[in-house]
Amino acid sequence: MACVSGLVASLAGAGKFKEAEVLGRQALCDAERLGQHHRCTIQALTSLAALMQASGDGQEAEQLLRRALACSEAALTRAHPGTLNILSGLASQLALAGKQVEAEPLLWEAVERKETVLGPAHPDTLHAVSSLAAHLMATGRRPAVEPLLRRALEGSEQELGPEHPVTLAMQNNLAVMLQRMNKQGQAEPLLRKAAAGSQQVFGEAHPTTLRACGNLATLLREEGKHGEAEQLLRRAIDSSAAGACAVGIHLDLQAELTELRNLLTMSPDKQRSVNLQAVPMPFLVGFGRLGCCDCSRRPGQPVDCGERPPPLSHGITIDSTSPLGGSPRTSAAPSPVATLRELDGLRKPSMVL
């Protein structure tokens, strides 16, 4: 099953979605012979859901995730790390589909349960925190977002280190949120650290590095630092053309450079009126989790299908360290959920573990 899932991911990464879908559906059929609640069936469901999401069929991805969640819950209990990963994936898919009312209690549940089972600074917990933060941002509760992501970043730096892929993604996502709250001065050093760290860890041509550089360029041009922004974009475009970069990222960078050139032809007053936004980095590079729930993507921007190497980008996979999910881990890091409980006016559905 692991080999088949890897092949499906490779085909999808090459843009061969039809071939990947045929193989993925056949793998699910074969796995179902072992039983509806068998771990291979659950793996096949989540892999096919990731494929459907990457190819733009969010409706079927949602149906597959609902089924996978029910099977995993029956086989492993609701609180099992593998079940919680699927729960996070379903919550993020619901949010992407605009079903915020249904998504929110699941996002809260994923954070609380992962915090209890895995610890506040575990990568899976931080992924859930990032998705919840994006949802809160998209639904207008901005005061809650900054302390939530700052605590999560602090825990990631302490537990995983400043150059860990999770920490780099947290730096980027906090910076994006700060930029959207017009705190560019606080966002810039974080984006610089994320871009420099991504380049050192992944290399110049890696999609994660290119996205981080694109976000930094967006911020720089917003601050009027057009020369540095253009230089950064040109270097990123050259790297994306030379490497095996996703077409979507290359086109995004080209569009950013075109917008910058257009901006330079405007008057200073007109330049200041242009609304620019960076994009949250797909979360947990190399962990195969569902990407950060970006409920406020640019209008018309599709779900990126090539932000990360296999497993499928924005897909849900089962952690390879155990049959169905990550191992519990204790941590002394502060609780992200406790941070939110301290904020006035923010309420959430109650949950019993």
Side-chain angles (χ1 to χ4, degrees):
M1 177 57 64
C3 293
V4 173
S5 296
L7 181 55
V8 170
S10 297
L11 289 170
K16 300 178 180 179
F17 290 107
K18 290 296 182 184
E19 295 178 41
E21 181 178 346
V22 170
L23 187 60
R25 292 190 187 282
Q26 184 58 53
L28 176 57
C29 248
D30 294 341
E32 286 175 330
R33 294 173 186 160
L34 301 172
Q36 290 295 318
H37 299 157
H38 194 279
R39 67 182 183 89
C40 288
T41 302
I42 300 171
Q43 174 70 74
L45 284 167
T46 57
S47 294
L48 186 57
L51 175 62
M52 292 297 98
Q53 189 184 52
S55 61
D57 191 346
Q59 184 174 358
E60 183 169 5
E62 179 186 329
Q63 294 172 353
L64 289 165
L65 287 171
R66 288 186 188 277
R67 184 179 163 195
L69 180 61
C71 292
S72 185
E73 187 173 356
L76 300 169
T77 75
R78 184 85 165 184
H80 190 279
T83 306
L84 296 180
N85 286 335
I86 299 172
L87 178 69
S88 289
L90 176 59
S92 293
Q93 177 57 48
L94 289 170
L96 287 171
K99 300 179 180 179
Q100 309 291 358
V101 174
E102 186 178 2
E104 179 160 335
L106 296 182
L107 289 166
W108 279 105
E109 181 180 359
V111 172
E112 282 207 332
R113 286 187 182 273
K114 286 184 177 185
E115 193 175 273
T116 300
V117 175
L118 301 172
H122 190 279
D124 287 356
T125 305
L126 296 174
H127 157 247
V129 168
S130 187
S131 293
L132 175 60
H135 169 78
L136 294 173
M137 190 79 176
T139 52
R141 284 167 284 182
R142 294 188 174 190
V145 175
E146 184 178 346
L148 177 66
L149 288 182
R150 285 194 183 279
R151 288 277 187 101
L153 175 58
E154 180 183 350
S156 181
E157 288 175 335
Q158 290 177 355
E159 290 292 311
L160 303 174
E163 295 182 352
H164 193 279
V166 175
T167 303
L168 296 175
M170 288 300 306
Q171 287 173 346
N172 179 91
N173 290 351
L174 172 58
V176 168
M177 298 304 175
L178 288 170
Q179 182 182 355
R180 291 179 181 176
M181 290 187 282
N182 296 317
K183 297 183 178 181
Q184 285 81 2
Q186 297 179 42
E188 183 179 336
L190 286 169
L191 280 178
R192 288 189 182 278
K193 287 173 66 176
S198 296
Q199 182 174 340
Q200 183 175 350
V201 173
F202 300 110
E204 289 188 355
H206 193 278
T208 298
T209 304
L210 296 173
R211 176 60 70 203
C213 290
N215 285 344
L216 177 56
T218 298
L219 177 66
L220 290 173
R221 69 171 184 157
E222 188 177 72
E223 294 180 313
K225 302 175 182 178
H226 298 143
E228 186 179 359
E230 182 173 4
Q231 184 180 20
L232 190 62
L233 283 171
R234 287 185 181 280
R235 189 163 63 245
I237 289 171
D238 289 343
S239 296
S240 69
C245 173
V247 174
I249 299 177
H250 183 77
L251 294 178
D252 281 350
L253 294 170
Q254 290 278 15
E256 187 81 13
L257 183 58
T258 300
E259 289 180 19
L260 177 59
R261 288 170 176 166
N262 292 337
L263 193 66
L264 293 176
T265 65
M266 300 177 185
S267 67
D269 289 340
K270 183 67 174 177
Q271 288 179 10
R272 284 191 290 270
S273 70
V274 176
N275 182 28
L276 306 172
Q277 284 193 334
V279 180
M281 185 185 298
F283 201 63
L284 296 187
V285 176
F287 283 80
R289 300 287 182 253
L290 195 70
C292 175
C293 163
D294 180 16
C295 306
S296 51
R297 292 193 307 273
R298 293 167 180 164
Q301 180 187 10
V303 175
D304 239 324
C305 300
E307 295 284 313
R308 294 174 290 171
L312 288 174
S313 61
H314 289 271
I316 310 94
T317 63
I318 304 302
D319 196 310
S320 61
T321 58
S322 68
L324 280 171
S327 57
R329 173 177 171 179
T330 59
S331 171
S335 161
V337 173
T339 303
L340 288 183
R341 287 182 179 141
E342 296 168 2
L343 296 170
D344 292 334
L346 190 61
R347 299 293 181 265
K348 68 173 190 63
S350 60
M351 186 192 72
V352 178
L353 291 173

